[in-house]
Amino acid sequence: ILMKPLILCRHDIILQPESSRVIIRPFIPLEKTRITTIIGRALLLSEKEVEATLSMIREEFHARHFDIDEVMLYHFLMVERHVFTQRGLSRDRKLLIGAMFSGEYALESAALFNPSIVPHPDQSDVPPGALRFVMSLRATGEGHISSIEFRSGIIDADGMVRVDEISKCLTVPHVLRDPSYNKRRFINKLHEMGAESENISSVMNPLPDLFTLTDLKLSIESVKKEVKYVSLDLLRAIERIKWLADSNYELQFPLSLQMSERIIFPVSANESNGIEDARFVRFIEENGSVMYYATYTAYNGRSTLPQLIETHDFHHFRILTLSGNGVQNKGMAFFPRKIGGQYVTLSRHDDENLFLIRSYDPHHWDNPELLMRPSEMWESVKIGNCGSPIETELGWLVITHGVGPMRKYCIGAALLDLNDPSKILGRLKEPLIMPDGNEREGYVPNVVYSCGSLVHNGMLVLPYAMSDMATAVVSIPLDQLLENLLAGAPTAPLALAAAASAAAATA
């Protein structure tokens, strides 16, 4: 069966990185002597000099941030223990000291890419036939530190895509001071980390099924008091417990913020070098309730770890670790509903092939099943998903990416059975999108990539990154794509095809 050429509608949208979008980060030396020296210089100033200097700082920076005083005061509190005078400090002097330990960071100075798109939780006042959306983007700045930015917009009844005007200011959320934890999941992850000692049990056993960070700290202190001496094993156990607690946290944005004013910046040690490639999905539970899940890759500069985001409204977020032997490598993506009573994800478990994982717990993933191997030359190095599968009448539409010769990334597609997604109904033999022309040039050349798309009014709306630099949007008629997928029956993987050819030649 001959495949028909697909009609791609390229929207007049290019989301470019803007170095003017900044946040204020702590700028604190590691050496205590340097911290005290800097504080000493602020203490030598007269109150008039403090006021004059602070006035100049405010004049220069206040228009770039929502509440610069709040940030400067917070950074002062981070170094307050190093203040070596017993004299009370004025608020202005505290703010100036905070400013001396602060610095602007341009979140997207290097790149704005790897988008995903989901229906907005608020569809009020949307014109008939239109859909409001939320788009997540990976923003990368100095030092290749990645964070998650957001955009909002409308897909109108005619399929035209409009992105809302962005705000000049950005703000990081409040990290909630006393997050809660699920005891069973917490202990499972500790065991997975190899923490099997009695010290772990002595801390965890007294805690309730749902405990807070305060509960955990009290239990740790209680165990320390009960032992005759604090052994090295106990210290190691406590260190692991604290690491895991710090890796599971909650964020809260003010309700007044626009979508483009929200930024999720690395908080925990395991993501200190970046929050990468968030794949958001609007998940509908069996009772009809909605949860937005997103898997992302936490990177600490040495290793990667899949993590999970949960939110109902894009104001309050829970950041959680995942457990199980299926939590490896990159690119986990949730199906948007349960199948056969189980949660299901796609994953590139072995950094080469596409796997299917089923679970009764969205936080624990075991026993990946091999789903797809590379089949065509354009995906001969490795394949993966480009976001969560999309449910259609004919099957689960999976947008894929393939890596071929010269590390060229292309975007493809596959179709899986609705009731049994381990059955492949069809795969495209040729890419949907290939890097071409200006799309080849960027931070990482010869790459097109996406972390999620959606279907609206019979059109697949697919935002994608161009060479890890900027983001574009295309629309593709769904019926044409499905027709081509069903025309292209699953092909033999390259490795298997090569083996079959060799066996035939020997015979």
Side-chain angles (χ1 to χ4, degrees), residues 80-111:
E80 185 178 19
R81 67 182 184 278
H82 299 289
V83 175
F84 48 85
T85 177
Q86 299 300 313
R87 294 167 50 194
L89 302 183
S90 67
R91 176 178 170 82
D92 282 355
R93 197 177 296 269
K94 291 178 180 179
L95 292 175
L96 178 57
I97 292 173
M100 296 170 78
F101 293 99
S102 300
E104 285 191 331
Y105 183 81
L107 292 153
E108 55 187 72
S109 57

Side-chain angles (χ1 to χ4, degrees), residues 126-199:
V126 173
L131 177 76
R132 181 178 289 126
F133 64 81
V134 176
M135 184 186 296
S136 69
L137 295 147
R138 176 179 168 188
T140 300
E142 175 192 355
H144 197 75
I145 298 176
S146 295
S147 52
I148 300 174
E149 285 193 20
F150 299 100
R151 300 287 187 273
S152 58
I154 292 281
I155 307 169
D156 67 23
D158 297 323
M160 298 307 296
V161 180
R162 186 191 78 243
V163 178
D164 296 334
E165 185 177 348
I166 64 171
S167 170
K168 292 182 179 180
C169 295
L170 282 160
T171 189
V172 295
H174 294 291
V175 180
L176 301 189
R177 294 184 177 181
D178 202 23
S180 59
Y181 307 91
N182 180 292
K183 182 176 178 179
R184 176 182 59 81
R185 294 171 188 159
F186 200 95
I187 292 174
N188 284 345
K189 187 63 179 179
L190 285 172
H191 289 168
E192 187 178 296
M193 293 164 59
E196 302 283 355
S197 69
E198 292 182 5
N199 293 315

Side-chain angles (χ1 to χ4, degrees), residues 20 35 53 61 65 137-138 142 233 268 283 293 309 395 463 482:
S20 62
I35 297 174
T53 306
F61 290 96
H65 304 281
L137 295 147
R138 176 179 168 188
E142 175 192 355
D233 284 344
S268 66
F283 189 93
Y293 288 113
I309 298 173
L482 293 176

Side-chain angles (χ1 to χ4, degrees), residues 311-487:
T311 182
H312 290 286
D313 53 13
F314 288 87
H315 288 288
H316 180 264
F317 294 82
R318 291 178 61 88
I319 313 297
L320 304 163
T321 52
L322 296 169
S323 61
N325 59 37
V327 182
Q328 302 291 332
N329 210 271
K330 294 184 175 185
M332 292 185 70
F334 277 60
F335 281 68
R337 65 170 174 83
K338 289 182 179 179
I339 303 172
Q342 291 181 293
Y343 296 91
V344 186
T345 65
L346 295 172
S347 173
R348 193 173 64 206
H349 178 72
D350 63 353
D351 196 31
E352 181 180 354
N353 305 296
L354 200 56
F355 289 78
L356 197 71
I357 318 178
R358 310 169 200 255
S359 176
Y360 290 101
D361 182 349
H363 308 93
H364 185 85
W365 300 92
D366 274 327
N367 306 320
E369 310 166 35
L370 181 61
L371 178 64
M372 289 185 212
R373 298 181 187 271
S375 293
E376 307 296 336
M377 184 50 61
W378 58 269
E379 58 182 8
S380 57
V381 176
K382 58 183 174 182
I383 59 172
N385 68 72
C386 275
S388 293
I390 298 169
E391 187 168 8
T392 74
E393 291 182 356
L394 300 181
W396 294 105
L397 173 61
V398 179
I399 306 302
T400 64
H401 67 265
V403 186
M406 297 299 293
R407 200 192 177 209
K408 179 180 176 180
Y409 278 66
C410 298
I411 293 176
L415 192 66
L416 310 179
D417 185 85
L418 281 178
N419 297 316
D420 183 2
S422 66
K423 295 179 181 179
I424 303 172
L425 304 180
R427 292 174 68 174
L428 292 186
K429 296 179 181 296
E430 299 294 333
L432 268 177
I433 306 174
M434 296 186 292
D436 192 23
N438 291 336
E439 293 184 351
R440 293 186 58 189
E441 315 302 339
Y443 192 59
V444 180
N446 304 307
V447 174
V448 288
Y449 193 88
S450 178
C451 288
S453 49
L454 60 76
V455 168
H456 180 62
N457 285 350
M459 298 292 289
L460 173 71
V461 179
L462 173 58
Y464 68 96
M466 303 177 293
S467 294
D468 284 12
M469 183 76 172
T471 295
V473 182
V474 298
S475 291
I476 304 165
L478 180 63
D479 57 353
Q480 292 183 17
L481 177 56
L482 293 176
E483 185 179 347
N484 278 10
L485 280 165
L486 292 174

